[in-house]
Amino acid sequence: MSEHYLGIDLGGTNIKTGVMDPAGRVCSKLSVPTEAKHGPDDGIDRMCRAGRDAVEQAGLEMDRIRAIGIGSPGPLNHKQGTVSPANMPGWQDVPLRDRIGRHFDLPTTLENDGNVAAWGEFWVGAGRDADSLVMFTLGTGIGGGIVVGGSFIRGFFDNGAEVGHMIIDPRGRMCNCGQRGCFEAHASAAHTANMATEAVQAGRRSSLKDVLDCGESITTERIVEHMQAGDELAREVWHDACKAIAIGTINLSHIINPELVVLFGGMVYAADLLLDPVNEYYKSLRSAIFADNYARIVPAELGNDAGFIGAAGAAKLRAERGELD
Amino acid sequence: MSEHYLGIDLGGTNIKTGVMDPAGRVCSKLSVPTEAKHGPDDGIDRMCRAGRDAVEQAGLEMDRIRAIGIGSPGPLNHKQGTVSPANMPGWQDVPLRDRIGRHFDLPTTLENDGNVAAWGEFWVGAGRDADSLVMFTLGTGIGGGIVVGGSFIRGFFDNGAEVGHMIIDPRGRMCNCGQRGCFEAHASAAHTANMATEAVQAGRRSSLKDVLDCGESITTERIVEHMQAGDELAREVWHDACKAIAIGTINLSHIINPELVVLFGGMVYAADLLLDPVNEYYKSLRSAIFADNYARIVPAELGNDAGFIGAAGAAKLRAERGELD
């Protein structure tokens, strides 16, 4: 009986894949380099081989797999099943869904990487007992996923849950996307590091200057270290990011009003150093009239596995709804 | 055969009610004053009488009504079926759903007024051919509704689609809700009028001073008149509101990514005077990387009927899903 699902999560650096049983248990998982620079044909071959290896590693024959779910960075075109990941030059309108579906001769669904990660956390992670959730993936940029009403929000133009590009400060920082004041421009790991670097370069006194003087780059890890050692600029920049995350959370709490906001990404591993100030700003900035009707903020639980788990989960969702036949 | 639906839209000033046939045609409609000051018992009596009159006016016996939908200002508690409208003193935890359901002995659903208005526009109004929409109701405050995946977003805490309270400028104006920089504090009719009044009172030169000198209040209607007559402050304040509406639209386009953003409220009746600058800011402020994957902005079509129409439509939706039995 074919009741298992294969998830394949395409990233700019790695392809993560694994097999999930219908109860949401991981039967196998593995990771291989994407080598995106070798182009999409090579990349698709790698995805197929990794997928096949994951099925074998799970001790299953291919006929036990009911459907395949793929997660990919956007932009993607859901109707056509194509992807053009912004961070993978040369990958333009790649027909990922049909190429992989044909290779395995299995029903295949293609979804945005933020949505599959959110769906993974909803299925078996931090949100497994929740009614609904919004996920923020705090990395170089800020992505996200929205799970509500038992499904995720794909968007009419396939650009749903791009929470990183809501404007939270029209006089704020310029975002890579071309908008001023995006959530991402105020809270992503890359922009937080940039804020510190710019301040040091502008002559602001800070122990972070030593990092630049050694020819290294300022990262959020360095910012956290220097903040803990008492550096004021590091503290300020970190708190500005926490405040922006709180504002993003307030906004999604008003718009979606989910049970949970799940935070994921390198910055979250600073754990209480991030969650405590975020929660403080979250409580002090928000409105009293909505009382406690705000989402609870929790860290993600599945780490980098959320993508392939959620991709497999999205295949299960769509297969059970008869949308993949 | 009971296949018609009765919608009752409770407002601070009027109760609007009507009967809809299953194809979405208005069979009857009428409006009576709420007289909220007489308290909830009197108000519920008025709702029941108005509902009964609407059924009679439609030429139907009560057994032709399959279910009732109620729209109410929030906050409301969906599980308990109670409402505590912020603008109706003395109405606290009023069991609207069960009182009205028992009166008519019919399955009854209770939804937020913003959501029923959005659902009305989706069912038979500006969004009748659309995949999904977000509605902004631009009045004294800013409310909203979100329709996606064939349903509306109620929120885990029953506060979904409170778009007016997303923060769009953390250094911006104080909102009545206690947050700084809410969308509502920068774009609602009341706040737009306040901005002009404050500027005049602070000594800013403007023909709007004549309005205050005559002992009248500055309203958005006055602002539009004076802008058309060439007053610079009026133009500035109006454009600030249009810019805020554009930012709100950009944000919802990134988060929900609906096909349409539907604008409703007194300000929209200034038609092109509102929609043209909003669209200009919408195009100039947004990101190029998402190309044309932004919602189209359209004016609402149902006016003040959207509420009872959508309330009836919500009853239909829930009855057909077997959620009201």
Side-chain angles (χ1 to χ4, degrees):
Chain A
M1 202 170 97
S2 57
E3 52 177 17
H4 287 65
Y5 296 87
L6 173 62
I8 307 177
D9 183 27
L10 174 67
T13 311
N14 290 306
I15 296 159
K16 297 204 170 63
T17 176
V19 173
M20 300 295 291
D21 78 8
R25 281 178 296 241
V26 177
C27 303
S28 68
K29 63 172 179 174
L30 58 92
S31 174
V32 297
T34 306
E35 307 276 17
K37 61 182 180 295
H38 294 159
D41 284 337
D42 182 73
I44 291 173
D45 279 353
R46 287 170 167 275
M47 292 172 79
C48 291
R49 254 179 295 146
R52 205 164 274 281
D53 289 349
V55 175
E56 194 177 312
Q57 193 180 300
L60 299 173
E61 298 297 321
M62 197 49 78
D63 62 6
R64 297 287 299 282
I65 305 296
R66 180 162 172 201
I68 299 172
I70 307 169
S72 168
L76 55 76
N77 183 318
H78 188 266
K79 200 171 283 175
Q80 292 171 16
T82 56
V83 306
S84 313
N87 57 346
M88 293 160 68
W91 290 57
Q92 191 62 41
D93 299 320
V94 181
L96 214 50
R97 184 192 60 206
D98 291 351
R99 289 279 298 273
I100 289 175
R102 272 204 304 270
H103 176 91
F104 287 101
D105 193 23
L106 279 170
T108 300
T109 185
L110 170 69
E111 308 291 347
N112 177 283
D113 53 359
N115 271 328
V116 295
W119 189 250
E121 291 288 344
F122 181 72
W123 187 23
V124 296
R128 62 187 167 276
D129 298 319
D131 162 80
S132 46
L133 64 82
V134 170
M135 185 162 170
F136 293 162
T137 58
L138 307 165
T140 310
I142 296 184
I146 299 172
V147 175
V148 67
S151 189
F152 43 86
I153 293 184
R154 192 184 283 142
F156 178 70
F157 304 96
D158 298 333
N159 285 307
E162 284 284 2
V163 294
H165 301 290
M166 71 176 141
I167 295 171
I168 62 165
D169 187 351
R171 289 163 290 176
R173 294 174 61 84
M174 205 64 201
C175 183
N176 297 335
C177 82
Q179 282 178 184
R180 183 171 294 283
C182 286
F183 180 32
E184 172 169 318
H186 289 268
S188 76
H191 278 276
T192 303
N194 286 350
M195 279 186 266
T197 306
E198 288 164 20
V200 170
Q201 285 170 343
R204 175 80 188 270
R205 206 151 56 152
S206 162
S207 57
L208 285 166
K209 184 168 186 303
D210 302 345
V211 177
L212 295 183
D213 288 347
C214 292
E216 286 178 35
S217 299
I218 295 175
T219 60
T220 49
E221 288 80 6
R222 290 290 94 74
I223 292 171
V224 167
E225 283 167 24
H226 286 247
M227 173 176 72
Q228 290 185 289
D231 184 63
E232 181 51 32
L233 173 68
R235 193 193 159 281
E236 207 176 288
V237 162
W238 185 256
H239 275 250
D240 280 352
C242 291
K243 187 175 172 183
I245 294 169
I247 290 174
T249 307
I250 288 171
N251 288 0
L252 269 297
S253 244
H254 285 302
I255 295 166
I256 305 296
N257 202 230
E259 184 172 357
L260 299 179
V261 167
V262 179
L263 301 185
F264 173 71
M267 289 164 84
V268 181
Y269 295 117
D272 295 349
L273 289 175
L274 182 88
L275 289 176
D276 285 352
V278 166
N279 267 309
E280 262 171 59
Y281 284 114
Y282 186 40
K283 281 174 187 140
S284 68
L285 293 174
R286 74 196 190 192
S287 164
I289 66 164
F290 294 100
D292 292 324
N293 296 332
Y294 284 88
R296 195 157 43 87
I297 301 177
V298 297
E301 290 184 6
L302 304 178
N304 288 318
D305 292 349
F308 84 78
I309 291 174
K316 177 172 181 284
L317 175 75
R318 302 203 67 212
E320 287 174 353
R321 286 186 172 176
E323 292 173 1
L324 291 185
D325 302 322
Chain B
M1 204 169 96
S2 58
E3 52 176 18
H4 287 65
Y5 297 87
L6 172 63
I8 307 177
D9 184 27
L10 173 66
T13 310
N14 291 306
I15 295 159
K16 296 203 171 65
T17 178
V19 172
M20 300 294 293
D21 79 7
R25 281 177 295 241
V26 177
C27 303
S28 68
K29 63 173 179 174
L30 59 92
S31 173
V32 298
T34 307
E35 307 277 16
K37 60 181 180 298
H38 294 158
D41 284 336
D42 183 72
I44 291 172
D45 279 352
R46 288 170 167 275
M47 291 172 80
C48 291
R49 253 179 295 146
R52 204 164 277 280
D53 289 348
V55 175
E56 194 178 313
Q57 193 180 298
L60 298 173
E61 297 296 321
M62 197 51 79
D63 62 5
R64 296 286 300 281
I65 304 296
R66 181 163 173 197
I68 299 172
I70 306 168
S72 169
L76 54 78
N77 183 317
H78 188 266
K79 200 171 283 173
Q80 292 171 15
T82 57
V83 306
S84 313
N87 57 345
M88 292 159 69
W91 291 58
Q92 191 63 39
D93 299 321
V94 180
L96 214 49
R97 185 192 58 205
D98 292 351
R99 290 278 299 273
I100 289 176
R102 273 205 304 270
H103 176 91
F104 288 101
D105 193 23
L106 278 171
T108 300
T109 186
L110 170 69
E111 308 291 347
N112 176 283
D113 53 358
N115 271 328
V116 294
W119 189 251
E121 291 288 345
F122 181 71
W123 186 23
V124 295
R128 62 187 167 275
D129 298 319
D131 162 81
S132 47
L133 64 83
V134 170
M135 184 161 170
F136 293 161
T137 57
L138 307 165
T140 309
I142 296 185
I146 299 172
V147 175
V148 67
S151 189
F152 43 88
I153 293 184
R154 190 183 285 142
F156 178 69
F157 304 95
D158 298 332
N159 284 307
E162 283 285 1
V163 295
H165 300 291
M166 72 175 141
I167 295 171
I168 62 165
D169 187 350
R171 290 165 289 176
R173 293 174 63 83
M174 204 66 199
C175 184
N176 297 335
C177 82
Q179 284 178 182
R180 184 172 293 283
C182 286
F183 179 31
E184 171 170 318
H186 288 268
S188 75
H191 279 276
T192 303
N194 286 349
M195 279 187 267
T197 307
E198 289 165 21
V200 170
Q201 285 170 342
R204 176 81 188 269
R205 204 145 63 147
S206 162
S207 57
L208 286 166
K209 186 168 184 302
D210 302 344
V211 178
L212 296 183
D213 287 347
C214 293
E216 288 177 32
S217 299
I218 295 175
T219 60
T220 49
E221 288 78 9
R222 289 290 95 74
I223 292 172
V224 167
E225 284 167 23
H226 286 249
M227 173 175 73
Q228 290 185 288
D231 184 62
E232 181 52 30
L233 173 67
R235 194 193 157 279
E236 208 176 288
V237 163
W238 185 256
H239 274 251
D240 281 352
C242 291
K243 187 175 171 183
I245 294 169
I247 289 173
T249 307
I250 288 171
N251 289 0
L252 269 296
S253 244
H254 286 303
I255 293 166
I256 305 295
N257 202 229
E259 184 173 356
L260 299 180
V261 167
V262 179
L263 301 185
F264 173 71
M267 289 165 84
V268 181
Y269 296 116
D272 295 350
L273 289 174
L274 182 89
L275 289 175
D276 285 352
V278 166
N279 268 310
E280 261 171 58
Y281 285 114
Y282 186 42
K283 283 176 184 137
S284 68
L285 293 173
R286 73 196 192 192
S287 163
I289 66 165
F290 294 99
D292 292 323
N293 295 332
Y294 284 87
R296 195 156 43 86
I297 300 176
V298 298
E301 290 184 8
L302 304 179
N304 288 319
D305 292 348
F308 84 79
I309 291 175
K316 176 173 184 281
L317 174 75
R318 300 202 68 212
E320 288 173 352
R321 286 184 173 179
E323 292 173 2
L324 291 185
D325 303 321

